[in-house]
Amino acid sequence: MEIGQWRREYLQGGLQRGDLADDPISQFRTWLQEVVKADISDPSAMCLSTADASGQPSQRIVLLKGFDERGFVFYTNLRSQKAWDITANPKASLLFPWHFLERQVIVRGDVQLVTDAEADGYFRTRPRDSQIAAWASHQSDAIVSRQVLEDSFDAFRKKFDGQDVPRPEFWGGYRVIPHAVEFWQGRASRLHDRFVYRAIGDGQWQIERLSP
């Protein structure tokens, strides 16, 4: 079968206005809990889209590490491609591709650095080898071989032997502050249910149904 003929119907359920919470964070929390209950690996995986100063977009999968009424948080090297993009164009989109439940969540918003205290707090919870890897990798830089990376990792492992690993000054977190959050539920015949929350100020949200 040719790729153009690959398709299936989405029949797991629907989404109605009455199903939705008053705000997108509460609705996201409900859906995330259902994803976790489904026991699927990497439930917090999301596609992060950024664009550089010229408008060239880039995407990559990262892990959501926190969310609340302030926004959605992830952590990274602050000298990576995504960081350069955000410095030049502090806007981003997040996509949670929960295909197994025939759902998607799309977040659009502005991006800000989290505080040093937040970054320090999260860094302390990381496995030790992950902490060391943050020092060892100059994320997005070209390297001549994997051996360079492994040698760097070994060097920092020795450097921090017997002591706590501090957070590198070039490693931190970003918060995507949403101005629009869309909840997508697949339906038969491609007549999908789509609802978008749009920020209207003072913590209030307007909810619209979108045509599929």
Side-chain angles (χ1 to χ4, degrees):
M1 184 182 296
E2 294 186 4
I3 192 170
Q5 299 305 310
W6 296 353
R7 62 175 58 88
R8 66 182 177 89
E9 287 282 22
Y10 299 111
L11 303 173
Q12 289 196 39
L15 185 63
Q16 301 299 325
R17 174 63 180 84
D19 300 329
L20 299 173
D22 291 337
D23 69 89
I25 302 304
S26 297
Q27 183 62 37
F28 181 84
R29 181 175 292 108
T30 295
W31 271 23
L32 180 59
Q33 289 170 345
E34 293 175 8
V35 171
V36 172
K37 186 177 180 180
D39 196 27
I40 302 299
S41 62
D42 296 325
S44 64
M46 60 188 186
C47 180
L48 165 67
S49 298
T50 58
D52 65 17
S54 73
Q56 174 62 53
S58 298
Q59 297 88 32
R60 74 288 287 164
I61 300 297
V62 299
L63 298 180
L64 177 70
K65 290 301 178 182
F67 70 96
D68 56 24
E69 69 281 353
R70 296 173 297 168
F72 299 79
V73 174
F74 64 94
Y75 291 89
T76 188
N77 187 303
L78 301 181
R79 299 171 183 167
S80 62
Q81 180 62 53
K82 65 181 81 65
W84 297 130
D85 286 357
I86 289 168
T87 297
N89 184 6
K91 297 180 181 297
S93 178
L94 309 174
L95 169 66
F96 295 86
W98 295 329
H99 302 302
F100 41 86
L101 293 179
E102 299 175 355
R103 290 175 174 174
Q104 302 177 62
V105 178
I106 303 167
V107 179
R108 303 176 186 88
D110 299 321
V111 187
Q112 293 181 353
L113 281 167
V114 304
T115 65
D116 286 343
E118 288 177 283
D120 288 341
Y122 173 69
F123 191 80
R124 286 193 294 268
T125 72
R126 301 187 91 201
R128 184 176 180 84
D129 280 355
S130 295
Q131 293 175 335
I132 294 170
W135 283 93
S137 173
H138 295 177
Q139 193 177 109
S140 301
D141 284 2
I143 54 177
V144 297
S145 70
R146 181 173 180 84
Q147 192 62 50
V148 171
L149 183 63
E150 293 180 351
D151 289 347
S152 178
F153 183 84
D154 289 341
F156 280 108
R157 176 180 276 169
K158 292 176 182 176
K159 176 178 180 178
F160 296 122
D161 185 40
Q163 60 180 291
D164 291 339
V165 180
R167 177 177 65 89
E169 55 86 19
F170 55 81
W171 191 96
Y174 290 102
R175 177 174 285 108
V176 179
I177 304 167
H179 56 69
V181 184
E182 179 182 332
F183 293 84
W184 183 102
Q185 176 72 61
R187 293 293 296 271
S189 304
R190 299 300 187 264
L191 298 177
H192 311 305
D193 288 322
R194 297 173 61 194
F195 287 91
V196 62
Y197 292 76
R198 301 188 193 278
I200 56 176
D202 298 323
Q204 300 300 305
W205 298 86
Q206 174 181 307
I207 303 175
E208 299 174 326
R209 176 185 277 273
L210 303 180
S211 174

